[in-house]
Amino acid sequence: MIQARQRRDSQERQSPARDKPNGMAPLFVVVGLALAVTLRQFEPIWRVSHGLLVLGVLSALAYLAGRFARLRSDDRGVMHALLVTLVVSQPIMLVLWGLSLGVPRIALAGELVLLFVAIAAVGWRSGRGIHVAVAGVFLCLTSIPSLVGLLMPGPVAEAAIGPDRRYVFSSYHDLRVTTHEVVSDETQDGGALTLLPDGRILLVAGSGAARSIEVVDGSDEILVSTVDLGLPIDIRSYQALGRKQPKFYRVFDALYDDGRLFVSYIHWDPDQDCYSLRLAESIFDGSDAGPWKTRFESRPCVPIPFTYNTSGGRIAVLDEGNLLLSVGAFGMDQLIQTEARYEGWSEASDYGKILVLDRDTWEHSVFTMGHRNPQGLLVAGDRIWSTEHGPHGGDELNRIEAGSDYGWPFASYGTDYGRKTLESGGVPGDHRGYTQPLHAWIPSIGISNLIEVDDGLFPMWRGDLLVGSLSGLSNGYAIFRVRLVEGRVVSVERIPVESRVRDLVQLHGGGPLVLWDSDGNIRVVRPADHVFSQCAACHNVRLQQHGIGPDLYGIVGRSVAGHADYRYSEAMTRLEGRWTPERLDRFLQDPQGEVPGTTMDHGGVHDPVQRAEIIQFLSEVSAGRPGM
């Protein structure tokens, strides 16, 4: 009998059915991961950016874990796979939560419950049917947080505002900024926006990729479609020589006018191996373009790798028969090492100038000179404005008048990089003998294009100039609202949007603003009354940038009086514990009642809905999400 039992055991061990991994094991794990709560707070994984990729990677790992567990324990492979998945996820979830990266406590609690269930199931050796049943219970429990997030109304979930929307509080208008990715795989620095007569926007990215964008009326939503412009930018031939595409080998501007599309871009001449600024024109019906005709090419062709970002390239309609085109210095001042070093600013060269182009003959002449890198150009009635990159400091807003010389390279409010001088011999900060800028930014803001605001949605900004900025030196990533009175700049307000602004437009009829960051995203900006505005008069939410009151970035979950560099009241410093949502609610309702002796001079927010919205906003900011 003993021998017979040993033979049966040997046959069972050799049975193909017993060695074959249970196909249900990876299935349970994959479905569980798909339904599991994720780091986006109550949202299933397919709603997360790159979520399907993450799901694929996790599923593959889970499948391998299931096969390994099955080989090691043929009747408990399912539970082992689930256990491995949960054990691996636990430290990750805890670390992310500790770093305040947006993991809700319900996710941690749910994972701990599921971990307990999996451990209990592994130890429960009551038959294969029981294991399958427990796996089903596991899946049900795992799906609960996602189902709650999907079925509950927005205000209940922590992520109600959404990851692509932020609020900005400026002096005259509170703003809602909504971000949309429109060019994901064809990005290149540069690019521009131009308005079409039917209300759409044509985006031409720096790479030449184009998109038609329609902002849905009264909404932050957009409709995007791809447009094949067939621009004559020969980048492949350049790369065929084994060269990397230079950062500034790109499209600079695009302008639609009366059935015609104009685009300025870098042109590489393969025969002479040199670079120039080219303006091309095409008939454009809103969806198709071509053929393209070259209308202007700067001379001389610059025989160096185009590494200097002083190109200009902005286009504007001067009048019915003429265009304006800005042409930057193109690094000519760095190239020429002779006594004629600055010949780039002589009449014989196109560089460092704003040119006027006749649309009948396409002959051009000098309109103004003395420009380094004119990035913005605006014709508003009888006034012409230009924005210009200075060197190290000295970005300029200029009023453009025909025949004027704006000084570069002999005059600037900036300096050479790394020095306190101007290499041309001029005195930094001294513009005598040349046309003065209306305003200069020191330090630089990385200035870009500009527009004049039509009232419409922004009545308090009517007639103001909005100037875009790139990175700058600590004060970029913003739009600057410039108010002029009798031709003089009387105020400049920085409005942070936390991204580069390469170009900007306002929709027809005083509609919303649309910003392009040259990194693949546009932002729709609308006025918005936000309940936190009453707090923004005294508090920032920008990571230790205190106002009258302390910065509130990260306040939810932080220790009371937690900023070492802010002088709190004695009453607040005596208070112990952390700012939980419940404690914030009590303090907002009655500051003196919650913290007797606090110096917060406010009667409290008595509307519970408003308090909930403020706390929700602060919770989102505290979790590192883009609430502002």
Side-chain angles (χ1 to χ4, degrees):
M1 181 177 293
I2 293 175
Q3 292 177 347
R5 182 178 301 169
Q6 290 176 341
R7 282 196 300 271
R8 275 199 311 272
D9 291 343
S10 176
Q11 290 171 355
E12 288 178 358
R13 284 194 298 270
Q14 296 172 3
S15 172
R18 294 287 288 174
D19 290 337
K20 182 180 180 180
N22 187 345
M24 297 297 290
L27 177 62
F28 283 134
V29 178
V30 170
V31 176
L33 286 169
L35 295 175
V37 68
T38 68
L39 304 185
R40 275 277 298 275
Q41 303 184 0
F42 300 105
E43 293 191 12
I45 199 164
W46 57 81
R47 298 267 282 272
V48 181
S49 177
H50 306 300
L52 292 178
L53 175 62
V54 174
L55 175 59
V57 173
L58 291 178
S59 299
L61 294 174
Y63 177 78
L64 294 175
R67 288 186 65 89
F68 176 77
R70 176 63 180 152
L71 292 174
R72 295 297 301 270
S73 178
D74 52 5
D75 65 341
R76 289 176 290 170
V78 174
M79 291 300 106
H80 275 157
L82 300 178
L83 179 60
V84 168
T85 302
L86 287 167
V87 168
V88 169
S89 68
Q90 271 299 298
I92 296 175
M93 296 281 281
L94 288 169
V95 168
L96 291 174
W97 179 74
L99 295 175
S100 298
L101 294 182
V103 181
R105 284 184 170 83
I106 190 173
L108 293 170
E111 289 258 329
L112 289 171
V113 170
L114 296 174
L115 182 62
F116 174 80
V117 171
I119 293 173
V122 169
W124 193 3
R125 308 179 62 179
S126 300
R128 200 171 289 179
I130 291 294
H131 292 308
V132 174
V134 171
V137 172
F138 164 80
L139 295 180
C140 293
L141 289 174
T142 307
S143 68
I144 288 175
S146 288
L147 292 175
V148 170
L150 292 172
L151 297 177
M152 285 289 189
V156 176
E158 293 179 13
I161 293 180
D164 58 353
R165 181 176 297 165
R166 67 175 66 244
Y167 290 88
V168 178
F169 306 103
S170 72
S171 296
Y172 298 149
H173 290 290
D174 296 339
L175 308 173
R176 183 174 67 242
V177 182
T178 307
T179 302
H180 303 271
E181 184 181 54
V182 294
V183 182
S184 58
D185 56 353
E186 301 174 276
T187 57
Q188 168 77 354
D189 198 17
L193 305 170
T194 185
L195 294 172
L196 301 178
D198 60 4
R200 290 180 299 146
I201 301 167
L202 179 67
L203 162 67
V204 183
S207 62
R211 302 289 185 269
S212 168
I213 300 169
E214 179 182 352
V215 178
V216 178
D217 190 32
S219 166
D220 296 325
E221 299 302 314
I222 63 171
L223 303 175
V224 182
S225 59
T226 299
V227 179
D228 184 7
L229 295 179
L231 285 171
I233 304 178
D234 189 10
I235 295 176
R236 291 184 178 178
S237 297
Y238 184 88
Q239 293 173 326
L241 298 178
R243 300 176 176 179
K244 286 187 175 182
Q245 180 178 348
K247 182 179 180 182
F248 306 119
Y249 195 158
R250 66 190 190 196
V251 170
F252 295 118
D253 198 12
L255 172 69
Y256 175 88
D257 181 60
D258 194 23
R260 305 280 175 168
L261 182 63
F262 300 93
V263 176
S264 62
Y265 58 94
I266 283 293
H267 171 66
W268 171 62
D269 184 333
D271 296 329
Q272 302 182 59
D273 195 14
C274 60
Y275 306 81
S276 58
L277 177 68
R278 178 174 281 187
L279 177 71
E281 176 193 21
S282 171
I283 297 174
F284 184 64
D285 63 4
S287 58
D288 295 312
W292 289 93
K293 298 179 180 179
T294 300
R295 297 305 192 187
F296 169 81
E297 190 168 324
S298 61
R299 288 289 182 263
C301 193
V302 180
I304 56 172
F306 191 70
T307 56
Y308 297 100
N309 184 20
T310 53
S311 52
R314 193 65 68 181
I315 318 163
V317 176
L318 177 61
D319 52 42
E320 186 175 348
N322 296 282
L323 294 179
L324 293 178
L325 175 67
S326 68
V327 184
F330 250 66
M332 290 287 288
D333 55 334
Q334 303 297 318
L335 171 68
I336 302 167
Q337 300 294 332
T338 67
E339 292 182 0
R341 180 181 177 106
Y342 298 105
E343 68 179 351
W345 287 265
S346 71
E347 294 293 335
S349 164
D350 294 324
Y351 299 107
K353 299 178 175 67
I354 294 177
L355 305 176
V356 56
L357 284 70
D358 186 306
R359 292 175 65 168
D360 291 327
T361 65
W362 292 108
E363 294 180 353
H364 66 276
S365 58
V366 175
F367 195 71
T368 58
M369 60 190 304
H371 300 287
R372 181 178 182 270
N373 186 13
Q375 286 279 300
L377 197 55
L378 170 67
V379 178
D382 61 350
R383 296 168 299 171
I384 304 173
W385 309 101
S386 175
T387 49
E388 182 172 333
H389 270 292
H392 187 207
D395 288 353
E396 296 177 356
L397 170 65
N398 287 305
R399 173 78 180 269
I400 298 299
E401 297 181 348
S404 297
D405 186 341
Y406 291 83
W408 183 260
F410 306 106
S412 174
Y413 283 98
T415 64
D416 296 325
Y417 286 96
R419 289 177 289 194
K420 309 299 182 186
T421 61
L422 286 176
E423 200 167 18
S424 63
V427 179
D430 186 356
H431 248 76
R432 286 178 295 182
Y434 302 97
T435 302
Q436 291 276 355
L438 287 180
H439 186 76
W441 280 268
I442 303 173
S444 296
I445 63 172
I447 207 162
S448 60
N449 203 11
L450 77 163
I451 61 173
E452 184 177 74
V453 181
D454 190 2
D455 52 2
L457 294 178
F458 305 95
M460 300 292 287
W461 290 356
R462 181 179 181 181
D464 290 346
L465 300 179
L466 294 183
V467 178
S469 73
L470 303 169
S471 56
L473 291 174
S474 77
N475 60 341
Y477 296 101
I479 52 179
F480 288 80
R481 183 182 61 84
V482 180
R483 175 151 295 183
L484 297 105
V485 176
E486 298 178 352
R488 182 174 62 89
V489 174
V490 295
S491 67
V492 177
E493 178 186 13
R494 179 180 181 271
I495 303 171
V497 294
E498 307 305 327
S499 71
R500 303 199 304 167
V501 181
R502 171 64 67 182
D503 201 5
L504 68 169
V505 295
Q506 183 180 18
L507 296 187
H508 296 301
L513 306 173
V514 177
L515 318 178
W516 163 244
D517 65 3
S518 79
D519 295 319
N521 308 295
I522 68 161
R523 289 168 173 80
V524 179
V525 181
R526 291 182 179 274
D529 293 328
H530 195 282
V531 67
F532 187 78
S533 182
Q534 59 186 305
C535 310
C538 298
H539 296 277
N540 283 323
V541 281
R542 299 200 186 103
L543 191 58
Q544 294 187 326
Q545 296 183 21
H546 306 301
I548 297 173
D551 180 17
L552 299 182
Y553 184 94
I555 188 172
V556 178
R558 190 177 65 209
S559 299
V560 176
H563 282 301
D565 59 346
Y566 181 79
R567 187 175 180 179
Y568 293 92
S569 65
E570 291 186 13
M572 193 66 72
T573 55
R574 288 196 301 267
L575 201 62
E576 297 180 350
R578 295 182 176 272
W579 284 115
T580 63
E582 296 76 19
R583 193 175 207 173
L584 279 170
D585 183 73
R586 296 193 301 270
F587 182 74
L588 288 171
Q589 183 178 11
D590 183 6
Q592 290 294 334
E594 179 67 14
V595 185
T598 179
T599 55
M600 179 169 167
D601 186 16
H602 194 282
V605 180
H606 303 297
D607 185 339
V609 175
Q610 289 190 359
R611 294 199 304 273
E613 290 178 358
I614 293 173
I615 294 169
Q616 175 180 302
F617 174 76
L618 292 174
S619 296
E620 183 164 298
V621 173
S622 298
R625 299 168 59 105
M628 179 174 180

